[in-house]
Amino acid sequence: MKAPAVAPPVPSRWRGRWQRSRLRRSLKWRLVSLFLLLALATTVVFIGGAQRLLRSGWQDYARPLVVDYVDMLAAQIGSPPDVAKALALTQRLPLRIAIEGPSVHWNSQPHETDERHSRWRDPLAGDGMGGDWLLARTTADGHRVTFGLATVPAHDRPRLVGWTTLALLLLMTALAYAVVRRLLRPLDDIHAGAVRFGQGDFSQPIRPRRSDELGELAAQINTMAAELQQRLDAKRQLLLAISHELRSPLTRARLNAELVDDSAPRDALLHDLAEMRDLINDLLEGERLATGHAALNTEPSDLNGLVEEVIAAHFAGRGIAVALSPGLPLLALDRARMRLLLRNLLGNALRHGGEAGEPPQVATALEAGAVCLLVRDHGPGVPEEQLAHLTEAFYRPDSARQRSTGGVGLGLYLCRLVAQAHGGRLELRNAQPGLEVAVRLPRRP
């Protein structure tokens, strides 16, 4: 049997896609994006409203004043235009003046191109007279005098305005994310608490950080977890009490059956009593293993040696194919519980793959950070929809196990508890043909 291959590393492109998908699903980033969209929409609405307000104010108040002021400036320059007076106006005021006509051609900023003249037009002109009418005047002798704002020298422009605005926007975004993260921090605690409660660990409740809605939700989840723990404890206590109470009459019944003369009914009775004894032992063992590491008595152990020991003691001559990987490190194992796991897995493989042409197989392999134990049979397998339920207590799929085969649905349940108590996990898959069970144990001493 081939040893399982180490899973290849996930390509960076897949990690990038997963991270982007996670960001898209992140509530924090959604709220920050909503904040940015609201800020953008508010800016657009404000600018649009301000433009309409300025347009109305320009038409009603500022435009008549500008027209009158331009008429006054044109009158000061005179007709024919006096270049000296125009030059004096440009030196005294931030104006640009251009004169074109039969006798005078003068521009206070001759280096500017003609394209610059388009900026002199009134952008808000809507009376059908054109923007030139606002800032240009024609004298009596046919000269055209055009007024405009002077060009600000490049070194005087506020070049840092754009970068400052961008930095402020980024700072606002970072502050918004920090505020949202702080507001939603209780969700991380609630998620971690829900994971603990789902794994059966009720020892650490969720710590409410605030008294708002999320704090109330954390308190309600803690109350629900406490009630669930009480119900589970009551069920376990009832199960333990029943199991303990059944042991005494079961022992007496077995002793009385031993006194009966040999016969087929006596053998059947002893067989049923033995099954009842094993069932009670499995129930008690399951409840002890439910406490996790506290139930274990670990010592450095060789997994390969345990496999060979169990096969020699319980399955000698049964034709189990063995493929043990050499050089496995010593593991901190509870030898009694690991023997129980191996007996159950190998017994299941023989029971459900005994009619197949190939014998069951057991193998060990070294993986990254773990030691893997594989047990496989070549039987009919299990329907995919039932795989996830095989490790539940008292679950027996009809197509895989009948009551006549001897199983009561506790074998794989106990194997899962043993693996979890050792900090590992138990996985099942259809090997086509047959069922493959993998037990992965951490490589810690």
Side-chain angles (χ1 to χ4, degrees):
M1 183 174 183
K2 295 183 179 180
V6 178
V10 180
S12 58
R13 63 177 184 273
W14 293 110
R15 288 198 300 268
R17 291 179 182 177
W18 178 81
Q19 291 173 353
R20 289 192 295 270
S21 175
R22 185 178 181 183
L23 285 178
R24 284 195 297 268
R25 296 194 302 267
S26 172
L27 182 59
K28 299 183 184 69
W29 282 110
R30 287 182 182 180
L31 291 177
V32 171
S33 301
L34 178 62
F35 168 79
L36 293 178
L37 289 176
L38 288 176
L40 179 61
T42 303
T43 303
V44 171
V45 172
F46 175 78
I47 291 177
Q51 285 182 345
R52 292 188 62 85
L53 181 63
L54 289 175
R55 184 185 296 274
S56 176
W58 172 261
Q59 295 290 347
D60 297 337
Y61 298 100
R63 198 167 190 271
L65 295 175
V66 172
V67 170
D68 185 73
Y69 186 69
V70 170
D71 291 340
M72 183 185 66
L73 293 178
Q76 290 183 15
I77 294 175
S79 179
D82 189 342
V83 175
K85 292 181 179 181
L87 180 61
L89 286 176
T90 60
Q91 292 175 350
R92 181 166 55 89
L93 301 173
L95 292 176
R96 171 185 175 187
I97 301 176
I99 303 175
E100 298 177 0
S103 59
V104 180
H105 294 277
W106 179 80
N107 193 335
S108 61
Q109 294 183 357
H111 59 278
E112 295 287 346
T113 61
D114 293 337
E115 180 182 359
R116 183 74 177 176
H117 285 273
S118 62
R119 302 184 185 179
W120 295 1
R121 295 176 180 268
D122 176 15
L124 301 178
D127 55 2
M129 304 178 66
D132 288 343
W133 174 82
L134 177 63
L135 301 176
R137 295 292 183 271
T138 303
T139 63
D141 58 349
H143 287 82
R144 181 180 176 83
V145 183
T146 305
F147 298 89
L149 295 177
T151 303
V152 179
H155 59 82
D156 293 333
R157 293 178 179 176
R159 296 181 177 180
L160 296 180
V161 171
W163 290 108
T164 303
T165 303
L166 178 60
L168 289 176
L169 288 175
L170 293 177
L171 178 61
M172 291 174 61
T173 303
L175 290 176
Y177 178 77
V179 172
V180 170
R181 183 176 178 82
R182 183 178 180 276
L183 289 175
L184 298 182
R185 187 176 179 183
L187 287 179
D188 297 333
D189 299 334
I190 293 174
H191 175 267
V195 171
R196 291 195 304 271
F197 298 157
Q199 294 174 349
D201 181 11
F202 300 96
S203 60
Q204 182 180 356
I206 302 172
R207 185 181 65 176
R209 294 182 178 272
R210 296 194 301 268
S211 58
D212 56 5
E213 290 84 352
L214 292 179
E216 294 177 358
L217 177 61
Q220 292 174 357
I221 294 178
N222 285 335
T223 302
M224 178 189 69
E227 294 178 355
L228 287 176
Q229 184 181 15
Q230 291 177 0
R231 294 182 182 181
L232 290 175
D233 290 342
K235 187 188 74 172
R236 287 172 180 168
Q237 292 298 328
L238 177 62
L239 188 59
L240 287 173
I242 294 174
S243 300
H244 280 292
E245 292 299 326
L246 286 176
R247 273 188 160 183
S248 297
L250 183 63
T251 302
R252 291 194 299 269
R254 183 173 181 83
L255 290 175
N256 292 329
E258 292 286 352
L259 299 177
V260 179
D261 296 335
D262 291 338
S263 62
R266 173 183 178 274
D267 295 338
L269 178 59
L270 289 174
H271 181 269
D272 290 339
L273 291 174
E275 285 191 352
M276 293 177 63
R277 179 200 60 201
D278 294 339
L279 174 60
I280 292 175
N281 290 336
D282 289 344
L283 288 173
L284 294 175
E285 183 66 16
E287 290 305 314
R288 283 191 291 266
L289 287 171
T291 60
H293 294 279
L296 300 182
N297 183 18
T298 61
E299 57 181 299
S301 304
D302 178 16
L303 181 59
N304 288 342
L306 280 176
V307 172
E308 294 173 345
E309 177 184 334
V310 171
I311 292 177
H314 302 278
F315 305 101
R318 303 292 296 273
I320 298 177
V322 180
L324 303 180
S325 177
L328 293 183
L330 295 179
L331 303 176
L333 303 177
D334 186 314
R335 298 176 66 87
R337 270 53 183 266
M338 286 304 299
R339 292 191 189 98
L340 172 65
L341 179 144
L342 287 167
R343 287 200 307 270
N344 285 337
L345 292 183
L346 293 175
N348 281 344
L350 288 170
R351 185 182 303 117
H352 305 301
E355 303 297 330
E358 296 185 47
Q361 298 174 338
V362 58
T364 57
L366 188 62
E367 294 183 350
V371 173
C372 183
L373 170 69
L374 289 175
V375 177
R376 175 189 174 182
D377 63 65
H378 295 83
V382 178
E384 290 291 336
E385 64 273 11
Q386 296 179 353
L387 276 178
H389 302 285
L390 286 182
T391 57
E392 298 176 0
F394 301 106
Y395 183 83
R396 292 183 299 151
D398 293 337
S399 60
R401 282 184 238 176
Q402 301 292 334
R403 183 66 185 91
S404 59
T405 61
V408 295
L410 286 176
L412 290 177
Y413 168 71
L414 289 175
C415 291
R416 176 174 65 85
L417 292 180
V418 171
Q420 291 177 349
H422 284 84
R425 64 184 187 275
L426 183 141
E427 301 171 352
L428 299 96
R429 73 176 186 90
N430 279 316
Q432 297 179 353
L435 180 70
E436 181 181 84
V437 182
V439 179
R440 289 180 168 84
L441 303 171
R443 295 174 54 185
R444 57 170 180 259

